[in-house]
Amino acid sequence: MNSVATDVTQERLVVTEIPGPKSLALHERRKNAVSAGVGATFPVYIERAKGAILVDVDGNHIVDLGGGIGVNTIGHSDDAVVEAAFEQAQRFTHTLFTVTGYESYVRLCELLAQHTPGTFAKKSVLLNSGAEAVENAVKIARKFTGRPGVAVIDHGYHGRTNLTMSMNFKAMPYNLGFGPFAGDVHHAPNSYPLHDKLSGAEAAARTISWLDKRAGATDLACLVVEPIQGEGGFIVPADGYLPALQKWCNDNGIVYVSDEVQSGIMRTGAYYASEHFGLVPDLVTTAKGVGGGFVIAAVTGRAEIMDASHVGGLGGTFGGNPMSAAAAVQIFEEIEKRDLLGEAQRVGRVLGGALRELQKKHNVIGEVRGIGAMQAIEFTEPGTDTPISDIVPFISAYAMKKGLLLLSAGTYGNVLRFLPAVVTSDELLLDAVAIIDEALSAR
Ligand code: PLZ
């Protein structure tokens, strides 16, 4: 199969102003046709992409350190993944797995059972989006426990459906005006070492006491937690925080759900970020990187919990779509064949190392944190932990003009997050940090 994107050189190349004239023209058309509610971080339109590079309609090569918010972990239009999906599309494109099945759905569930933490018997259901995976994890936990309550922690993000909006921390832009929201969702404080200065044990005691008092452990079906909070600003919890929450869940018959939609599938140099914390969740949600852009998501977990639903209780027209399932199976094969976990670790070493060097130079960098190819810097007033929120928009606008895509995150909008493809070269990563250095000096 010939891929139109194979000729994309892995370098930053600026040939027009960014956005260029063709992007701007498309952006005008968009304004008349696309709902104003659909945001546009950059008014830049993409014509092709490969590896770490986006090529826009004006011919600029943009280094993509956002990966469509952590989806293109394996790199844009990976040959093997595209080939697998294309081959599948030529054979058949849809049957609806709950009507007539096919092997790739089953194979992907086997791979998810093998690579999620824990050695017990596991099963999966395949779905279409991260939010849908979180919704299904809650449905399954409720059915299994016969309890209504859902617990989440502050600074979390779980999606844009009604239930998952109810589980988000940040009202703007996700929730505001879209209520009423779902009931029986209980929010408790998280662990945010830079700001709360608490040890893992102290932060866990605070979360647990809050949930005990506000919700009551015996009313809770599940606790849903991202091991590293993504939209919240790549918050890495203090040591021991997550295992203490998990123990409390285990002791109280509460299903522990690790939302690994953003942190999962090789992103952190492990299949799942839970592994770094010694967590063995009852259920894990997967999406984004597992399809490399082909739409797919999953809930995976203990077989007895996953089997709690009556037959026909789980499903959906497109869940585990054949092209997406074929792509995801191929991604698991590529991870092993090309040691992509090792590549994610390399990205973490190179990028994290360069960002820590940068921190020595710029005292507005309050913290550099992350694991593997999930790194971030949080900007704070020097010597304090007060967020500075105008730096990130300045840096990302500056970088885009130079052909570098950087994403923001964080409750206070003061976090620059990096979700590069694991195939991003050291050279491109160091070039990106040099541009951030330049931007910080220019402000
Ligand atoms: N859980 C941990 O990070 C999606 C949101 C992008 P969907 N994060 C990116 C946007 O602006 O909508 C996410 C996540 C975690 C759940 C989700 C939801 O995943 O595939 O976007 O539904």
Side-chain angles (χ1 to χ4, degrees), residues 209-328:
S209 134
W210 192 279
L211 289 174
D212 256 332
K213 292 191 178 72
R214 292 291 297 270
T218 54
D219 250 14
L220 288 177
C222 57
L223 169 66
V224 184
V225 174
E226 301 157 82
I228 299 174
Q229 294 182 302
E231 301 306 302
F234 287 19
I235 304 168
V236 183
D239 279 351
Y241 175 72
L242 295 174
L245 294 190
Q246 193 195 338
K247 182 174 185 311
W248 178 71
C249 285
N250 294 349
D251 292 347
N252 289 281
I254 301 163
V255 175
Y256 186 96
V257 183
S258 222
D259 181 354
E260 294 243 23
V261 165
Q262 193 154 159
S263 58
I265 304 297
M266 83 177 124
R267 173 54 61 194
T268 62
Y271 276 97
Y272 286 89
S274 293
E275 294 169 45
H276 301 292
F277 304 98
L279 277 180
V280 184
D282 298 314
L283 300 180
V284 176
T285 57
T286 305
K288 293 190 187 276
V290 75
F294 291 92
V295 174
I296 195 155
V299 183
T300 304
R302 290 184 186 274
E304 66 274 20
I305 302 178
M306 291 302 297
D307 281 344
S309 170
H310 52 273
V311 175
L314 305 178
T317 304
F318 294 116
N321 163 279
M323 283 85 72
S324 301

Side-chain angles (χ1 to χ4, degrees), residues 82 141 173 182 190 267 347 422:
V82 171
N190 68 338
R267 173 54 61 194
V347 166
V422 300

Side-chain angles (χ1 to χ4, degrees), residues 84-202:
F86 185 69
E87 193 273 336
Q88 173 59 51
Q90 287 181 311
R91 282 189 294 117
F92 62 92
T93 57
H94 178 77
T95 66
L96 208 177
F97 186 75
T98 58
V99 177
T100 53
Y102 40 90
E103 189 190 353
S104 55
Y105 190 116
V106 179
R107 180 69 190 132
L108 181 55
C109 294
E110 290 169 350
L111 287 163
L112 288 163
Q114 190 184 333
H115 294 294
T116 46
T119 50
F120 39 81
K122 289 176 221 146
K123 294 190 179 182
S124 293
V125 55
L126 302 184
L127 304 146
N128 303 291
S129 68
E132 205 191 350
V134 173
E135 287 249 7
N136 275 270
V138 171
K139 266 171 73 170
I140 293 164
R142 282 175 164 162
K143 188 84 175 179
F144 176 73
T145 58
R147 301 174 180 179
V150 178
V152 293
I153 58 170
D154 290 349
H155 302 277
Y157 178 82
H158 301 287
R160 292 180 185 266
T161 59
N162 185 265
L163 175 63
T164 55
M165 278 194 293
S166 315
M167 296 164 69
N168 293 339
F169 178 69
K170 205 171 164 181
M172 191 62 191
Y174 308 120
N175 302 355
L176 213 68
F178 296 134
F181 299 107
D184 262 317
V185 177
H186 305 275
H187 294 251
N190 68 338
S191 164
Y192 196 159
L194 178 67
H195 293 285
D196 65 27
K197 321 279 187 233
L198 297 177
S199 70
E202 290 163 344

